[in-house]
Amino acid sequence: LREIQANPHDHALFLATSDGPCRFGQYINLYRMILDRLGYNDIIIIAPSSYNAYAGLPQRMRKKLWQILLMSDILLKLRCKIKPYELKPGLTEQIFQKSINLLDEAITEGRDPEVWPQVLDAFRHIPIDTTHRKPLVGIVGEIYVRSDPFSNENVISYIENEGGEAWLVPLSEWFHYTAYSAKLRAHKRGKPLDALKTVLTNWFMDHMETHIYKQARALLKDREEPTVSEIRHYTEQYLPFECGTEAVLTIGRAIIFAVANGADIIVNVAPFTCMPGT
């Protein structure tokens, strides 16, 4: 705190935000009020918005954040797919936590491209027995709460303790959705340059995702995610896609879980009183 007070212009609070009626978009105002009340008026808040696919950050930073997020998604997918069938109880979780720490250090030092194959290899060598498949439980819902173990009361562990195999929709789904939505709006406004930028953004995101997942394809070949266009196709039978929010993802993805992924159960995780969740 003394360092912040002495050099306020050297510090910033990073807080992604969104537009719309959700209270999530109001957190930035609350943080501003708190910082001002504590005397930190000079500290800026960096708040990229989901409305424009989090534009405004340096391109190099956006690319790196996207890469890290994809690796994080893959790690969790591997953990959830392997853990219910491990022959050495606790080994998968141990490797999962070790991999997070290893990648954390490697990313800081710029060594993550060389460490990533090592991480995948560690999961590849976990002894498993898949003779008897367990019920597959698809997890959809509000992006933050479904992804944060504290907020969802460890829903993945609960499913596993009850004898199921959890498949959590990854965080990357939301970022694909924001980029997809920005592309739709740009085309609708009839602005060719903006539309071209959004097309390039979507292409780059898909390209990097394909590259990173390719290395884990042998382990996750039956855990591929649908595109936003595919989710939209199923959603619009029940809700116009223009309604936005995670509701349009939750409905379509839940149907795909049932008709294409063979899910036995679907869990919808949402904050209490959340309008889209309800």
Side-chain angles (χ1 to χ4, degrees):
L1 285 177
R2 284 195 297 269
E3 167 62 23
I4 295 175
Q5 289 170 336
N7 303 286
H9 297 291
D10 293 340
H11 300 271
L13 174 65
F14 183 88
L15 181 70
T17 188
S18 67
D19 297 343
C22 179
R23 57 187 170 223
F24 178 71
Q26 301 302 317
Y27 291 153
I28 183 175
N29 299 314
L30 175 63
Y31 274 64
R32 180 76 271 165
M33 292 168 63
I34 292 172
L35 287 171
D36 291 348
R37 192 177 300 158
L38 294 174
Y40 300 123
N41 310 67
D42 293 331
I43 294 180
I44 64 171
I45 299 177
I46 301 174
S49 174
S50 61
Y51 183 77
N52 60 6
Y54 305 100
L57 296 174
Q59 282 298 103
R60 186 177 177 183
M61 179 184 289
R62 293 182 76 195
K63 291 177 181 179
K64 195 62 183 179
L65 289 172
W66 178 237
Q67 176 191 340
I68 294 169
L69 185 131
L70 290 171
M71 290 192 295
S72 173
D73 283 345
I74 290 175
L75 283 183
L76 187 59
K77 272 180 175 286
L78 289 170
R79 180 220 168 274
C80 290
K81 182 183 177 183
I82 295 172
K83 190 175 188 300
Y85 306 101
E86 63 185 6
L87 292 176
K88 297 180 179 179
L91 180 60
T92 307
E93 188 68 32
Q94 179 184 336
I95 290 177
F96 175 66
Q97 295 299 332
K98 184 178 179 180
S99 298
I100 291 174
N101 296 333
L102 188 64
L103 276 172
D104 183 30
E105 183 179 323
I107 290 166
T108 303
E109 299 173 355
R111 297 184 297 105
D112 44 294
E114 61 188 73
V115 170
W116 181 238
Q118 300 174 25
V119 168
L120 297 179
D121 200 49
F123 280 96
R124 191 175 289 112
H125 285 89
I126 297 175
I128 59 173
D129 179 7
T130 57
T131 305
H132 301 289
R133 304 298 305 193
K134 299 189 176 185
L136 183 61
V137 182
I139 305 173
V140 297
E142 195 274 332
I143 316 305
Y144 179 79
V145 174
R146 80 180 186 204
S147 304
D148 181 64
F150 174 81
S151 299
N152 61 44
E153 296 185 334
N154 295 289
V155 66
I156 289 177
S157 295
Y158 180 84
I159 290 167
E160 292 170 346
N161 291 338
E162 293 298 315
E165 176 188 345
W167 180 345
L168 172 67
V169 177
L171 272 171
S172 55
E173 178 200 62
W174 174 252
F175 292 92
H176 276 301
Y177 167 70
T178 60
Y180 179 88
S181 299
K183 181 176 68 173
L184 291 183
R185 287 192 297 270
H187 282 285
K188 191 174 182 179
R189 290 196 302 266
K191 295 188 175 183
L193 184 58
D194 289 348
L196 178 60
K197 288 180 179 178
T198 60
V199 168
L200 290 174
T201 297
N202 279 267
W203 176 87
F204 171 78
M205 292 175 70
D206 291 340
H207 178 73
M208 180 175 281
E209 184 174 46
T210 300
H211 173 69
I212 293 178
Y213 267 86
K214 185 178 181 179
Q215 300 173 68
R217 185 168 295 160
L219 293 165
L220 295 174
K221 57 185 177 182
D222 56 348
R223 288 293 179 270
E224 292 185 6
E225 296 295 329
T227 65
V228 177
S229 295
E230 291 169 333
I231 294 173
R232 178 184 183 182
H233 168 73
Y234 286 97
T235 295
E236 290 194 325
Q237 300 177 47
Y238 304 96
L239 181 72
F241 203 72
E242 288 74 17
C243 287
T245 74
E246 68 270 9
V248 297
L249 297 173
T250 296
I251 292 174
R253 189 65 185 92
I255 297 170
I256 292 173
F257 262 134
V259 303
N261 299 139
D264 299 284
I265 304 169
I266 296 167
V267 175
N268 178 29
V269 181
F272 180 63
T273 74
C274 174
M275 285 193 300
T278 302

